[in-house]
């Protein structure tokens, strides 16, 4: 070693340690730590017996086995649910006009195509309800499945059943009028469903007295009874109108209405009740109308104040009226501006509302408001102040259900 090398070595401080590079060096104590008695971290190798290794292997195998079983069960369950929903193996349709086994099939009033399809499947007439609905929608050409009894067979194709059901009613005029419809709306329904001329229908109802409607009524409004009707193809339009009027006469007779004056009162009030209340509230609202009409000096001054009558006179459908519309005395159906009953009925009422009006509930209320148009919840009050609180509930409901109260 040269003299210069010795000098360089001697210049290194005695307490300076070489740089640690390995894991053992990093974990070993420094020079100062060693002098202080710190031993550092010691790595020890785990000693495992052969038995422990075998036990660990068995545990891993068991865990993998359980996981595999859970996975397989999940796959089977999901597959079963998918197959149950899609059922690719299910026969979706039969072929032909049936297997010769006769079946009398009944379509009940009010049944939907889906309900009819499910009944057909349950009786073994068709293979699949959903397939039948698909075929009906594509092949019915707007024809209705009319309630009645039909002669079918087991194991018919959906197309054959649709053809049979519609063909059986090809010589029948059928239409169904919902409750609460005005004359114009009713004629629209009859024309569309019965495939009749709308102008001929309108002409047929102009001379309403020919059907036995009293002359104290301004029109046939209130007399075209809601419900389902069937007539042979080619039936005279006037005969169909007469049948509807006759059903209303039967309703009036059933509640003891025998005079023209009483018929006007009951039908007019019932038409208001029909639109202003839910069936559960018919009797109560009928009683409130009686209270208002019989107390001309009270808080309501003999005014019914029905929005439904005002909108009828305006020829619109709406839940909201402006103050100008309420004050319009030119509207003879405006029960905000005119005391007593409006000029006549505002729709064709059902027997339920006719019965409620003929025998109204006796109650102390003068106001009512439906605070929830979905549930039909209606609240009654004795004073206008109390009524306003319920009106605020209604307004809040409208705010929470945009477009429902327009």
């Amino acid at each position: 070693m040269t003299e210069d090398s010795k000098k360089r070595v001697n210049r290194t401080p005695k307490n300076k340690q070489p740089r640690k590079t390995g894991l053992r060096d990093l974990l070993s104590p420094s020079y100062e730590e060693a002098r202080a008695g710190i031993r550092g971290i010691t790595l020890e190798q785990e000693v495992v017996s052969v038995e422990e290794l075998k036990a660990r292997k068995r545990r891993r195998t068991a865990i993998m086995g359980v996981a595999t079983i859970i996975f397989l069960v999940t796959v089977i369950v999901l597959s079963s649910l998918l197959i149950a929903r899609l059922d690719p193996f299910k026969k979706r349709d039969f072929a032909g006009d049936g297997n010769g086994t006769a079946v009398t099939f009944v379509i009940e009033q009010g049944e939907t195509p889906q309900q009819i399809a499910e009944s057909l499947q349950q009786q073994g007439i068709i293979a699949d309800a959903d397939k039948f609905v698909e075929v009906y929608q594509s092949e019915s050409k707007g024809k209705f499945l009319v309630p009645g009894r039909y002669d079918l067979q087991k194991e018919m194709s959906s197309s054959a059943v649709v053809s049979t059901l519609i063909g059986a009613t090809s010589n029948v005029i059928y239409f169904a009028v919902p409750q609460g419809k005005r004359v114009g709306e009713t004629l629209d329904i009859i024309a569309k469903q019965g495939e009749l001329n709308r102008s001929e229908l309108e002409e047929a109802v102009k001379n309403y007295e020919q059907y036995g409607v009293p002359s104290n009524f301004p029109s046939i409004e209130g007399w075209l009874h809601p419900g389902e009707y069937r007539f042979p193809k080619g039936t005279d339009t006037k005969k169909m109108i007469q049948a509807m009027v006759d059903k209303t006469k039967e309703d009036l007779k059933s509640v003891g209405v025998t005079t023209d004056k009483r018929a006007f009162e009951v039908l007019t009030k019932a038409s208001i009740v029909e639109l202003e209340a839910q069936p559960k509230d018919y009797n109560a609202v009928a009683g409130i109308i009686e209270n208002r009409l019989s107390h001309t000096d009270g808080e309501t001054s003999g005014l019914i104040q029905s929005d439904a009558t005002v909108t009828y006179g305006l020829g619109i459908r709406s839940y909201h009226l402006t103050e100008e519309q309420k004050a319009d005395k030119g509207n003879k159906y405006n029960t905000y501006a005119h005391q007593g009953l409006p000029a006549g009925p505002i729709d064709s009422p059902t027997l339920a509302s006719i019965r409620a009006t003929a025998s109204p509930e006796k109650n102390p209320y003068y106001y009512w408001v439906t605070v929830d148009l979905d549930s039909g919840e209606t609240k009654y009050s004795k004073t206008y102040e109390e009524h306003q609180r319920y009106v605020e509930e209604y307004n809040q409901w409208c705010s929470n259900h945009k477009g429902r109260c327009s």
Side-chain angles (χ1 to χ4, degrees), residues 213-228:
V213 175
S215 59
N216 59 332
F217 283 81
S219 70
I220 202 171
E221 187 71 85
W223 290 87
L224 297 180
H225 200 285
E228 292 185 296

Side-chain angles (χ1 to χ4, degrees), residues 203-265:
E203 188 64 31
V205 299
K206 282 184 178 179
N207 180 18
Y208 56 89
E209 291 184 43
Q210 66 181 308
Y211 303 108
V213 175
S215 59
N216 59 332
F217 283 81
S219 70
I220 202 171
E221 187 71 85
W223 290 87
L224 297 180
H225 200 285
E228 292 185 296
Y229 295 89
R230 298 170 194 78
F231 303 96
K233 208 81 168 181
T235 300
D236 183 71
T237 302
K238 292 181 179 180
K239 287 186 177 180
M240 291 186 281
I241 299 299
Q242 186 66 66
M244 301 178 78
V245 172
D246 287 345
K247 288 190 70 173
T248 300
K249 290 180 180 179
E250 291 172 8
D251 284 354
L252 290 171
K253 185 178 180 180
S254 71
V255 296
V257 174
T258 57
T259 66
D260 293 351
K261 181 176 181 296
R262 182 62 175 154
F264 179 87
E265 293 173 352

Side-chain angles (χ1 to χ4, degrees), residues 144 172-175 189-196 233:
F144 291 91
V172 175
I173 297 173
Y174 170 81
F175 54 87
I189 292 170
I190 297 173
K192 181 179 179 180
Q193 296 184 6
E195 298 182 332
L196 300 171
K233 208 81 168 181

